[in-house]
Amino acid sequence: MRDSKLKIISGNSNRPLAEAICQFIGVPLTDTEVTTFPDGESFVKINENIRGRDVFLVQSSCPPVNDNLIELLIMIDAARRASASRITAVIPFYGYARQDRKDQPRVPITAKLVANLLTSAGADRVLTVDLHAGQIQGFFDIPVDHLLAFPVLYEHIVKKELRNLVVMSPDVGGVKMADAYAREFKCGLGFVAKKRHSATQVEATSIVGDVKGCDVLLIDDMTETAGTICAAARLIKSHGARRILAAVTHANLQDMGYERLKEGPIEELVVTDTIPVDPKGLPIKVLSVAPLLGEAILRISNNESVTSLFRVKGF
């Protein structure tokens, strides 16, 4: 055990990731009961002494989103009442992140509401990966360590030996993230303009950038129905791209998403395990962020900088 003051507690959303983090750090997963009463109420009981300990609660707000969010809040409250010295909510995937602004009359800013709930429950800091919008950090009045999955994805993609690479964003909103990838790969940059007809229907309308005869890497932070990336991939292919790969941090794939990936031109979809992913026989490569989160947890616990975790090996 490398650090006995550390206590890592897992909810039910992504226990395999929590176990992988513990294996990397060299500490056992804290014995905890996280169950549900017959009426649907969540119940948490920590079966170990955590008084004065540095506690990290690992819980993604993936489906069922509301259940997992409430479970996290109850875990925080349980740890606070058990006299933990510091409580860090490790949220590999921060749900409700797309509701980060009022884009229509009389709608909530739920990403801010979730931040308030986490703080009120007793979280002292938050550790997360690839927020949908970096500005969400400003919704918190507690420290937020916002990690990027890029170093994890980069190590896999660079081995593909892609030729005449062009990094593309499947929509205008993701250009900043795509630009960061393009700078590291020292390659061309482009994006696809889209028109959204509904939550599940997207039309790619035009492309900015030259992709003829090129290998294209589509970059996005999350996907559910794969509508955006598949529509973009089809348009890019029609403009003469040679190969198309996609890299997405959070793959919250639904049945419709699997069907679209099966029928689409994407050669490989590279994702991380911030959300549990079943490839279902499709060319989906799942990479683990456990070492990234594990190293961040160690550094936070030891009051060290996490800045170097944003750097790619060799740069």
Side-chain angles (χ1 to χ4, degrees):
M1 186 180 296
R2 291 170 58 183
D3 196 342
S4 60
K5 71 179 181 181
L6 264 175
K7 289 290 184 180
I8 297 179
I9 296 173
S10 175
N12 291 319
S13 70
N14 200 342
R15 190 178 178 89
L17 176 58
E19 291 173 345
I21 291 171
C22 286
Q23 185 175 5
F24 174 85
I25 293 175
V27 299
L29 195 61
T30 300
D31 182 17
T32 310
E33 294 177 38
V34 185
T35 58
T36 304
F37 288 121
D39 64 355
E41 292 182 1
S42 296
F43 173 74
V44 173
K45 181 182 179 183
I46 302 168
N47 294 323
E48 297 181 23
N49 178 22
I50 62 169
R51 182 179 294 273
R53 303 300 181 91
D54 201 3
V55 174
F56 294 81
L57 308 173
V58 181
Q59 181 85 326
S60 279
S61 42
C62 52
V65 179
N66 295 336
D67 290 349
N68 287 330
L69 176 58
I70 288 295
E71 197 173 274
L72 174 58
L73 296 174
I74 295 173
M75 289 163 59
I76 293 171
D77 188 69
R80 179 173 62 87
R81 296 179 188 278
S83 301
S85 66
R86 180 170 60 178
I87 301 168
T88 301
V90 182
I91 312 174
F93 170 63
Y94 186 88
Y96 286 105
R98 286 174 294 185
Q99 297 184 44
D100 62 344
R101 63 198 181 280
K102 281 195 67 174
D103 55 355
Q104 304 173 52
R106 298 174 297 280
V107 297
I109 303 179
T110 318
K112 168 61 174 171
L113 172 62
V114 171
N116 289 344
L117 290 170
L118 292 167
T119 305
S120 297
D124 295 301
R125 66 187 308 125
V126 168
L127 172 62
T128 189
V129 180
D130 275 350
L131 287 168
H132 184 65
Q135 297 91 323
I136 291 174
Q137 296 172 78
F139 291 168
F140 288 88
D141 293 323
I142 57 175
V144 176
D145 290 296
H146 180 210
L147 301 181
L148 306 179
F150 173 72
V152 177
L153 298 170
Y154 176 87
E155 292 299 317
H156 175 78
I157 295 167
V158 76
K159 296 175 184 176
K160 293 289 183 180
E161 298 181 351
L162 301 172
R163 294 186 297 168
N164 299 323
L165 178 63
V166 177
V167 173
M168 300 285 294
S169 170
D171 57 28
V172 176
V175 171
K176 187 173 182 180
M177 175 184 284
D179 179 56
Y181 277 71
R183 287 201 305 270
E184 292 293 347
F185 282 110
K186 296 180 174 62
C187 67
L189 171 69
F191 68 89
V192 174
K194 71 176 183 182
K195 183 184 295 182
R196 180 172 291 280
H197 299 290
S198 69
T200 59
Q201 295 295 326
V202 174
E203 177 188 359
T205 57
S206 59
I207 182 173
V208 174
D210 183 13
V211 297
K212 188 174 182 179
C214 298
D215 291 342
V216 174
L217 175 64
L218 278 166
I219 296 294
D220 211 350
D221 65 313
M222 65 181 296
T223 187
E224 293 179 347
T225 64
T228 298
I229 60 171
C230 285
R234 285 192 296 270
L235 186 61
I236 290 168
K237 193 69 174 179
S238 71
H239 279 68
R242 192 174 74 94
R243 299 170 63 193
I244 302 174
L245 283 78
V248 178
T249 304
H250 312 294
N252 189 12
L253 287 170
Q254 311 300 315
D255 290 341
M256 185 181 294
Y258 286 108
E259 287 300 317
R260 284 173 170 164
L261 290 170
K262 186 184 299 183
E263 299 168 358
I266 296 175
E267 181 179 310
E268 183 181 58
L269 174 63
V270 186
V271 303
T272 74
D273 60 351
T274 56
I275 297 172
V277 180
D278 180 3
K280 293 189 176 181
L282 294 176
I284 299 174
K285 178 66 175 179
V286 183
L287 306 176
S288 182
V289 293
L292 179 69
L293 288 170
E295 185 62 33
I297 287 171
L298 281 173
R299 295 187 184 194
I300 291 168
S301 184
N302 294 325
N303 297 314
E304 297 173 352
S305 172
V306 300
T307 302
S308 64
L309 295 180
F310 299 110
R311 302 192 184 110
V312 179
K313 293 179 182 177
F315 282 80

